[in-house]
Structures are given as C-alpha cells and as structure tokens.
Amino acid sequence: MMRCLVRLLLALQSSCSVLAGVCLVTAGGLYGAERFGDWDGSELDVGAAISIGLGGVLFLLGLLGLLTSCSRSYSWSYCFSIILLAIVILQCLAGVLVIFFRNEIEKVVDKSLRQSMRSYNLPDPGDSPYQVTVRSTWDGIQNILGCCGVMAFTDWSDTEFGTPGLVPESCCAEVVAGCGSDIDFGVENPDLHQTGCVVAVQGEMAENIEMVVAVIAGLLAVQVLGVCLSCCLARSVQVEHCDL
C-alpha cells in the first residue's frame, strides 16, 4: 500500500515537471519559429534558446520520473534520486549566482523586454502566434499592474509601433477608444500609467515578499520530496528483492 502511494506521488511530481517543460519549450518555440532564422545573438534570442533547453531538461526529467514510478529496478530508482539531488544543488548554486550578479541580470531583462516591445502591433489577421503572444502579454501586464513600458511610457517611442505617437491602450489610466493615440513623448501625460512595468513588478514582489519566498521554498521542497520518494521506492523494491 505504501509503495503504491509513493509511486503515485512520484508520478504526480514527474507529471508537473513534464508540464513545466512543455510550457518552457512552447514559449521559446513560439519565438524561435519566427526569429531564429535571423539569429543575431540578442538577449531575447539567447533567452528563448535557454527556455527551450531548460524545458527539454525538465521534460526529460519528468519522463524519467514517470518511468521510475513504474520501474521495479531499485538501482535505477537510486540513480534517479541522485540525478534529482544534483539538479537541486545546481539550482541552489544558480540562486546564489543570481544574487551576486543581480545588476547584470536586471540589465539583460531590461534589454529583452525592450526587444520584445518591437514586435508589438495592432491586431491583424496575418499575425503570427508570437506576435499575438507578445501583444496579449504586454496588454495583460500593463492592465493588471497599471504600468506602461519597461521603465516609463516613453519606452514605446523607440518602437516602430510607437513612432507615430502611439502607445497600447492598456497604458491608459482609463481605457477608451483612441486613448493611446497622438501621444507627445516629450511631456508627462497624466492620462497614461506613469510607472514602468519593471518597477511595478519589483514593487509587487517587495510587497508580497513572504509569498515569493514561500513559492520558492515550496518548489525546492517539492524537488527534495522527489529525491526522498525515489529513495523510499528504491529501498522498498530492494527489500522485496531480498525477500525473494
């Protein structure tokens, strides 16, 4: 009975890993299908490639976990637990590196966001899935957080979309038809959100730091649980083999 429960929990955790991997590969693939043909080594190009790589690793790890949950080989279960433990350690090291190189990472994120803004356009039947995703994501973030652009609404002036004096209507404090037109980027505009989205996200994280820490700790705990479940399963199978 206990072994069946362990197998079930390990299978559920592995399924979550497969799902996360699919999401990352899909996100990177949407960009890559349209932009990798003109690869120029930009921050967004590299980020999409990393997303696909990480997604592939998570997907493979999830498949291995599902196989482990069905396997009757204790040696393989032990091997899988070691692989999981190594990945947990690597993630902890990556977290330390993020803290030390926070400023550099923030600059990369800033450049990546500005590059994604260049793909924003008004809805068109011929839009690619990537363009639809970019537009939906920017509109969603700006609506939910009450922000505009990366650091300010003037960031849109550096894009082809904003050159004629346009910003997305999601930038408007009160969304009405045409509120994002005829914008003078040289003066303050009280009708638009004044806060940049990077600042807005940082503010939300600072206000909800307990939740952020809890989510990170929870994700780490789930992976440590996977190590424990693999070891428990391996031990259970090993005892059964010895009894036989």
Side-chain angles (χ1 to χ4, degrees):
M1 179 65 182
M2 182 59 68
R3 188 186 308 163
C4 292
L5 179 60
V6 170
R7 290 184 185 276
L8 176 61
L9 291 174
L10 183 58
L12 288 175
Q13 187 216 33
S14 300
S15 298
C16 290
S17 180
V18 169
L19 181 60
V22 170
C23 290
L24 285 174
V25 170
T26 301
L30 285 174
Y31 175 87
E34 182 170 332
R35 303 290 180 175
F36 280 176
D38 299 318
W39 177 277
D40 59 2
S42 66
E43 287 78 7
L44 210 52
D45 285 349
V46 175
I50 291 175
S51 176
I52 294 173
L54 287 177
V57 170
L58 283 176
F59 183 80
L60 179 60
L61 188 65
L63 287 182
L64 292 177
L66 290 173
L67 290 174
T68 301
S69 67
C70 301
S71 174
R72 299 183 63 84
S73 170
Y74 64 85
S75 58
W76 169 247
S77 296
Y78 279 130
C79 288
F80 181 70
S81 65
I82 293 173
I83 293 173
L84 278 182
L85 182 60
I87 290 176
V88 170
I89 294 173
L90 288 175
Q91 289 181 32
C92 292
L93 292 176
V96 173
L97 291 176
V98 167
I99 294 174
F100 278 109
F101 297 99
R102 183 182 62 185
N103 292 333
E104 288 74 8
I105 292 174
E106 288 179 350
K107 292 177 182 177
V108 171
V109 171
D110 183 280
K111 290 181 180 179
S112 298
L113 291 174
R114 293 179 188 276
Q115 290 165 9
S116 71
M117 290 172 66
R118 298 171 189 166
S119 297
Y120 188 97
N121 64 340
L122 293 173
D124 184 272
D127 286 343
S128 67
Y130 172 67
Q131 289 174 312
V132 174
T133 302
V134 168
R135 183 170 58 250
S136 300
T137 302
W138 271 109
D139 285 342
I141 291 174
Q142 292 181 151
N143 272 319
I144 294 171
L145 298 180
C147 58
C148 185
V150 178
M151 302 305 295
F153 75 92
T154 53
D155 295 332
W156 288 103
S157 65
D158 298 325
T159 67
E160 183 178 349
F161 171 80
T163 300
L166 298 176
V167 296
E169 292 187 351
S170 55
C171 279
C172 301
E174 294 185 11
V175 179
V176 294
C179 66
S181 305
D182 300 323
I183 302 299
D184 185 352
F185 292 106
V187 298
E188 292 187 5
N189 191 327
D191 295 328
L192 302 177
H193 297 308
Q194 300 300 305
T195 306
C197 290
V198 168
V199 177
V201 169
Q202 290 174 339
E204 287 291 324
M205 292 180 66
E207 290 179 7
N208 301 281
I209 187 64
E210 297 86 356
M211 184 179 296
V212 173
V213 172
V215 169
I216 294 175
L219 291 174
L220 187 62
V222 167
Q223 295 178 75
V224 173
L225 177 63
V227 177
C228 297
L229 290 174
S230 298
C231 290
C232 290
L233 180 60
R235 180 59 180 169
S236 175
V237 175
Q238 186 177 20
V239 170
E240 180 185 23
H241 282 195
C242 291
D243 291 340
L244 294 176

